[in-house]
Amino acid sequence: MLLTGIHSGSAYTNRVDPGQKRAGMTGDWCWDAGLIRAQMAGRFVPGCRVDSCRDDGWVAEPIIVDAARNTSASSRRRAWVPMKVSEGSPTVGGMRILHTSDWHIGRTFHGVDLLSDQECSLRAIADLVAAEQVDVVVLPGDVYDRSIPSADAIAVCNRGFEAIRAAGATIVATSGNHDSPTRLGALGTFAAAGGLHLRCGIAEVARPVMVSDSHGEVAFYGIPYLEPEITRAELGVPQARSHAEILDAAMGLIRGDLAQRTGVRSVVLAHAFVVGGEATGSERSISVGGVETVPLAAFAGIDYVALGHLHSPQTLSESVRYSGSPLPYSFGERSHRKAVWIVELDAGGLSAVTRHELPVVRGLSQLSGTLDELLRAPEHAAAEQDYVSATLTDHTRPVDALRKLRERFPHAVHVEWERPEGNPELHYRERVHGRRDTEIAQSFLTDVRGAPTSGEMNWLERALAAAVREKDGPVRAPAVAVEGGPVRGSRRAAKVDAHSQSDTGDSAHSDPAFGGTAESDARPIADDGSTRLSGDGELDGDPGLFGLVPPESDGGAAELTA
């Protein structure tokens, strides 16, 4: 008799002493943390207890548990969680599959680390696996949020996988558009020995994970996210440009493999945007390389299709579904109830699909009102432990609003200010129609940093007046030599022209046509390119507000004549 399982993250197989084998016990055993499941006289015993076990994995004197009541004289004080057999041994009855996706381990939410929330959601999935006696968990892509996840993210993900395996399920997962297929699948062969099967490359598309139940075998095919530009040659469709063409080629490989297997039921995992699905706003676009959507008909003939990529649970057909992410990743998902699907297969294929909602780790709330209202109003008490996005409607922009909000809402993550008298639907043309330039500029300054002072308005009016005179006055010529000698004019005007020529690399300061050299005409300019004020309060250096210089009393702009 063989003893197989996982202990401290390592897979192993040991042989049980035949002398310790109870009469009538046949078949393989699965062991994990002292819990086993045995096949006895052609039927399964839902749970067994191992009284003792050595460090090398050898077990002594298993105590058989009553199949009907899951109890025995030695286990009445405790309910033992039944363990499932490994892929190599059949499951009694139909197969139960849990469909989850888009874990995005390592993702942040408006700058807030979500690892603790994600670990809670993975524990909830593992608990559901144990409670519902799930045989296989499928995870179609976006295991991680980044192609190079942090060490902490990897640790959280590994603990999630370990908890699901300890609950008794085999895991089949693919890479998504957020994952690095090379990194995620690097230890795929080793992980498969422990019950985690990763499908991250084209070469593995037509290599299914075979799992048995009392009705025969089920083939689990994994289609990772396939970028058309990168994968079309390897798939043998060099002309393909869209995701639909690429997916058709991958499904062709799967159907070719299925045709060689008689009486095998099929499950396909795919990370794609299927026509009929609705995005939530937190998904990354996969449209690079062609049209991003694929038709539902591409999956015809498959018993169940577990989709990933979209973050809300959706049913496209009875056998084609999105499970959505286990956590909300945008405020647009605040009304969603996150869930997983539990799929049941019988001898004829798909027999039932049940939705199981996941617990809410932390709610999302969007609030609107003045800062004082949000801090005091009792109707917002229910949001105090939620992630909060607040829209402030104060007449003036509140100072340090986020810090003040966190005094009541410690998990506030986003604040924006919306002037109550403003009309965001008004078009720019309508907002400025019939208004003077000074009024428009004043409104702009007020919106971005507060109302300008009277002195600032004086500078603004002078700058606008100079702009009008420059527009209506003589045309400035480029920096070229003019017949009759150098052009005379104000040195300040030459400075403006020099600035206008800077993009082409010309410098009017050093051109004789502007009546001087760079050394004689240069003005002090701040390191950041801003305007400086000289000791008498006059503008010095680069042009001022809007790139204009206030008018001078010594003749204004230079006039050029040919």
Side-chain angles (χ1 to χ4, degrees):
M1 179 178 290
L2 294 179
L3 173 70
T4 62
I6 296 179
H7 180 58
S8 301
S10 300
Y12 58 84
T13 300
N14 287 324
R15 186 165 296 278
V16 177
D17 186 348
Q20 297 176 338
K21 181 178 176 182
R22 278 287 179 91
M25 295 179 61
T26 60
D28 289 342
W29 290 50
C30 248
W31 178 89
D32 189 72
L35 299 175
I36 63 174
R37 186 176 185 176
Q39 183 176 358
M40 184 175 179
R43 64 185 179 86
F44 278 94
V45 177
C48 298
R49 175 181 174 181
V50 177
D51 274 353
S52 62
C53 114
R54 301 207 309 256
D55 290 339
D56 59 4
W58 286 69
V59 298
E61 194 58 36
I63 298 175
I64 305 302
V65 182
D66 182 75
R69 296 181 298 160
N70 193 24
T71 59
S72 73
S74 303
S75 62
R76 287 173 184 160
R77 295 185 301 274
R78 181 174 179 182
W80 295 94
V81 178
M83 296 299 294
K84 298 295 189 302
V85 296
S86 65
E87 301 86 85
S89 301
T91 299
V92 168
M95 185 168 296
R96 293 173 66 81
I97 303 163
L98 186 146
H99 173 195
T100 178
S101 72
D102 294 272
W103 288 1
H104 288 279
I105 304 298
R107 186 156 185 161
T108 59
F109 185 66
H110 292 272
V112 175
D113 191 320
L114 292 179
L115 284 177
S116 61
D117 292 2
Q118 291 172 328
E119 189 153 20
C120 287
S121 69
L122 297 188
R123 282 200 300 266
I125 290 173
D127 291 343
L128 188 60
V129 167
E132 294 293 325
Q133 299 188 27
V134 170
D135 301 295
V136 181
V137 171
V138 293
L139 172 56
D142 283 352
V143 179
Y144 294 106
D145 190 60
R146 294 177 176 85
S147 59
I148 307 178
S150 67
D152 289 339
I154 294 172
V156 167
C157 190
N158 286 347
R159 288 195 292 270
F161 283 143
E162 289 167 5
I164 291 172
R165 282 295 292 145
T170 298
I171 305 169
V172 182
T174 66
S175 54
N177 59 304
H178 281 250
D179 299 306
S180 165
T182 303
R183 289 187 177 89
L184 183 62
L187 298 177
T189 303
F190 182 79
L196 170 60
H197 301 269
L198 299 167
R199 294 293 182 263
C200 301
I202 295 175
E204 301 166 320
V205 166
R207 185 166 63 86
V209 178
M210 303 302 297
V211 185
S212 299
D213 62 11
S214 60
H215 302 299
E217 290 185 315
V218 178
F220 289 81
Y221 295 92
I223 303 177
Y225 169 70
L226 301 175
E227 173 57 47
E229 190 67 27
I230 299 172
T231 59
R232 62 190 183 188
E234 189 174 353
L235 282 168
V237 283
Q239 76 287 352
R241 293 294 184 272
S242 68
H243 286 271
E245 293 172 299
I246 293 297
L247 189 67
D248 280 343
M251 286 301 299
L253 297 177
I254 290 173
R255 290 191 175 95
D257 182 80
L258 267 177
Q260 303 175 34
R261 303 176 185 271
T262 304
V264 173
R265 293 155 292 164
S266 58
V267 174
V268 168
L269 291 69
H271 195 85
F273 195 157
V274 179
V275 173
E278 295 182 2
T280 64
S282 61
E283 302 91 352
R284 180 186 295 172
S285 173
I286 58 174
S287 61
V288 177
V291 178
E292 64 179 340
T293 57
V294 300
L296 183 62
F299 302 105
I302 304 300
D303 290 300
Y304 183 76
V305 179
L307 295 176
H309 181 57
L310 302 185
H311 290 180
S312 63
Q314 300 178 50
T315 301
L316 305 186
S317 74
E318 188 61 27
S319 61
V320 182
R321 300 170 186 255
Y322 284 100
S323 69
S325 58
L327 291 175
Y329 292 126
S330 72
F331 280 101
E333 300 172 51
R334 67 187 182 278
S335 61
H336 296 175
R337 282 308 307 268
K338 297 300 181 178
V340 298
W341 300 107
I342 291 186
V343 181
E344 298 182 43
L345 301 181
D346 60 16
L350 182 65
S351 61
V353 182
T354 308
R355 174 177 170 140
H356 288 260
E357 294 188 348
L358 297 174
V360 177
V361 179
R362 190 177 301 283
L364 273 62
S365 293
Q366 282 190 309
L367 308 179
S368 179
T370 66
L371 181 59
D372 187 65
E373 289 171 352
L374 297 184
L375 293 177
R376 299 177 185 276
E379 59 264 28
H380 300 314
E384 289 179 355
Q385 295 305 314
D386 291 354
Y387 291 118
V388 169
S389 172
T391 300
L392 303 180
T393 58
D394 301 73
H395 288 279
T396 59
R397 186 191 300 270
V399 177
D400 208 7
L402 185 58
R403 183 188 63 80
K404 293 176 181 176
L405 277 173
R406 284 177 175 167
E407 294 174 2
R408 182 180 186 184
F409 307 101
H411 303 287
V413 295
H414 178 71
V415 174
E416 59 183 87
W417 176 56
E418 185 178 284
R419 188 187 299 276
E421 61 271 15
N423 183 358
E425 297 180 357
L426 206 60
H427 294 293
Y428 177 77
R429 181 189 299 273
E430 296 169 349
R431 293 202 306 268
V432 302
H433 180 69
R435 300 176 65 189
R436 297 172 55 244
D437 291 345
T438 305
E439 294 174 340
I440 296 171
Q442 183 180 12
S443 296
F444 172 77
L445 291 175
T446 301
D447 286 341
V448 298
R449 66 166 186 85
T453 65
S454 58
E456 290 170 336
M457 284 303 301
N458 183 42
W459 280 114
L460 184 62
E461 290 169 356
R462 294 175 63 189
L464 292 171
V468 171
R469 269 203 306 274
E470 182 174 323
K471 179 180 178 181
D472 296 339
V475 177
R476 296 180 183 275
V480 295
V482 181
E483 183 181 355
V487 178
R488 289 185 294 275
S490 77
R491 299 164 74 185
R492 185 74 57 86
K495 176 67 177 177
V496 175
D497 280 355
H499 212 67
S500 68
Q501 293 287 334
S502 60
D503 288 342
T504 62
D506 298 331
S507 176
H509 292 168
S510 58
D511 198 306
F514 282 86
T517 63
E519 291 76 19
S520 63
D521 282 356
R523 296 293 189 121
I525 301 174
D527 292 338
D528 61 358
S530 61
T531 301
R532 290 182 177 177
L533 292 177
S534 61
D536 58 0
E538 291 294 325
L539 276 173
D540 205 358
D542 271 0
L545 192 64
F546 306 125
L548 303 174
V549 178
E552 295 181 313
S553 59
D554 59 352
E559 296 183 3
L560 300 180
T561 57

